[in-house]
Amino acid sequence: MASKKLRRAGLAQELCERLSRHQINTCHDFLCVSFLELMKVTGQSYQNVQKLLCKVSRACAPKMQTAYDLKMKRAVNPFSAFLSTTLDSLDKALHGGVACGSLTEVTGPPGCGKTQFCIMMCVLATLPTSLGGLDGAVIYIDTESAFSAERLVQIAEHRLPNYFVTEEKLVSMTRSIHLYRELTCESVLKRIESLEEEIISKRVKLVIIDSVASVVRKEFDTKLQGNLTERSNFLAREASLLKYLAEEFSIPVSFLFVCLFVFPPPIFEIIQLCAA
Amino acid sequence: MAGSTAQRRRPPASRSGEDATTLPREIGISKEEALETLQVIRQECDSNAVRTGGDPTALRKCTALELLEQEQAQGFVITFCSALDDMLGGGVQLTKITEICGAPGVGKTQLCMQLAVDVQIPECFGGLAGEAVYIDTEGSFMVERVVDIATACVQHCQLIAEAQQEEDHHKALETFSLEGILSHMYYFRCHDYTELLAQIYLLPDFLSEHSKVRLVAVDGIAFPFRHDFEDLSLRTRLLNGLAQQLISIANDHKLAVILTNQMTTRIGQSQSTLVPALGESWGHAATIRLILHWDNNQRLATLYKSPSQKESTVPYCVTPHGFRDVQPPPPSQTPEGSEMNPRKRPRIEEDKQ
């Protein structure tokens, strides 16, 4: 939206050319320039520049929805609003399960079951909607090499023995879980950036990142000057990408943290798994 | 200021750059006569000049008495937490920007959603009967939660109506329903700061079409500006521009603007403190600043900056029904021997004071 070219926003051709001579090519550039500068560059009067601003803003502003419209959209398919965790009390606390369209963070000390929880969610996401699943594929970004396919099969067989009776069902379930091993911050970011195409082509319905903290802790030493801002920038970039993906495709994105850090916010729901 | 306006409305004749003090010295008349002359000329110029719909500068001038009458007549948006309302002097004020800062999870979005519902309470129940605009930059708006809050609010009003049995209460309740509340909440999802800037530019037009809007909530203002910004001076300029526009929107359309801000760590010489994000210059943008924070397991709200109320701290809690006061513990609770969470310190009588 922000990088929309000004010509597509409906501005006149020769005005666009004039602006591009001052490196103002997209809506983003136009809105970042001060008012006086715009008047100088376009050579137009105060009222005309205001009208131009409105035109450009209309090209990239979001669409209005009432809260009622939002509710109706969610009500159309109630199962697509949440992915149930099949743990009743947790589902009740989360108002239905892991929310689709937003990020959920799972944190806790080592050994308390975060990866197991994620493996279970993998199984659940591949189930058909009649059984409470999302009937889709899963993308699992693994930075600690903690994912065990044998454990996945074990969980599937024991949790739903009635469903996973045949070998074929197990095979199709495991085939729809796509595992990526990434070991550096940069590769994690690259992978997330490439996810959009994968989500569409593979019909992905759940994205799990296990874990965000391990790569960050390896690479950023907060005692060193400047590392804190770099780390914050990296995490914020990651978070905004993930949020965009979650909302655009209305899928739950779940990722793991180790609970020792206090990270700068964006806002997530936090399910804390404590060892007690 | 007066000198420049005189210069802009320059008369076609030669009297350029003269004001009421230099004129008498030049042609030997008294100051009052000079002022009258200049005013006559100005009026003639004004009638010649093209007026562009509604001179806003005229509306912004008034005496303190008129302002006092306006302030006393206008209402507040209540938060349903009476301690917080008292601390704010009645609730969130109209025509002012209120900033809500806090760490993640403390209740900022809950408060915004609560206020977006509360602004719609009909006048006979003590509300403003207004509509709400919700600009979401973080994606933390959950419709299901708003449904909970709105349902509880409607039930609350229904109880009042049953207790008092007045005619206009029942009539008001016909329109004040869950569907009504949700339909009058206008939601905009901005994914980055360009969309946010664009939306704020378009907001005055939107508000002219929807004149019943009494609350604009921007949740949160910090998120799109906190990362990916190499040019900090650009950020400061954009934020200042945003603040100016929001102030003029709040004044022109007589509505309350609430912004949520994040907290950032300021690393000092020996310790680090949590301060509101976006820097020092942003601190001047909001008129009223509220900081939400934790103290053990209790949520607290501190009024950090206000031109008219005393700085203080009150506890609040977030219940399934929304933002509420802290309920005092029931008197029959025994301090020991109960099956409580072993990590929670058992409540003893002396501690309550």
Side-chain angles (χ1 to χ4, degrees), chain A residues 7-100:
Chain A
R7 200 162 322 134
R8 281 182 60 207
L11 289 188
Q13 175 78 358
E14 43 100 27
L15 191 61
C16 292
E17 279 166 21
R18 208 167 158 171
L19 289 167
S20 65
R21 262 179 267 145
H22 295 263
Q23 270 88 47
I24 301 174
N25 293 315
T26 63
C27 293
H28 168 262
D29 301 330
F30 194 89
L31 290 172
C32 283
V33 178
S34 76
F35 202 84
L36 278 178
E37 185 81 18
L38 276 178
M39 279 173 70
K40 206 167 61 169
V41 166
T42 58
Q44 308 258 2
S45 70
Y46 184 87
Q47 284 89 353
N48 281 351
V49 172
Q50 273 197 323
K51 285 200 199 121
L52 284 177
L53 264 174
C54 275
K55 210 169 189 180
V56 173
S57 302
R58 237 180 285 273
C60 56
K63 203 167 59 86
M64 192 270 287
Q65 301 170 72
T66 63
Y68 190 68
D69 299 334
L70 289 174
K71 177 162 172 269
M72 287 296 112
K73 263 196 234 168
R74 305 275 264 206
V76 162
N77 194 351
F79 295 114
S80 72
F82 293 98
L83 172 60
S84 159
T85 60
T86 67
L87 304 169
D88 282 331
S89 35
L90 184 58
D91 279 345
K92 211 159 125 212
L94 292 177
H95 221 296
V98 174
C100 292

Side-chain angles (χ1 to χ4, degrees), chain B residues 74 93-97 247 250-251 254-257 287:
Chain B
Q74 82 190 5
Q93 278 184 331
L94 298 184
T95 74
K96 301 265 190 304
I97 300 189
I247 292 175
N251 275 316
K254 290 220 175 9
L255 42 84
V257 175
T287 320

Side-chain angles (χ1 to χ4, degrees), chain B residues 316-334:
Chain B
Y316 67 91
C317 63
V318 180
T319 67
H321 300 297
F323 218 77
R324 292 290 187 272
D325 277 307
V326 172
Q327 296 297 330
S332 56
Q333 198 173 46
T334 48

Side-chain angles (χ1 to χ4, degrees), chain A residues 167-178:
Chain A
E167 183 86 9
E168 189 205 329
K169 286 250 169 67
L170 280 173
V171 165
S172 81
M173 185 268 291
T174 48
R175 220 207 299 268
S176 48
I177 297 180
H178 305 275

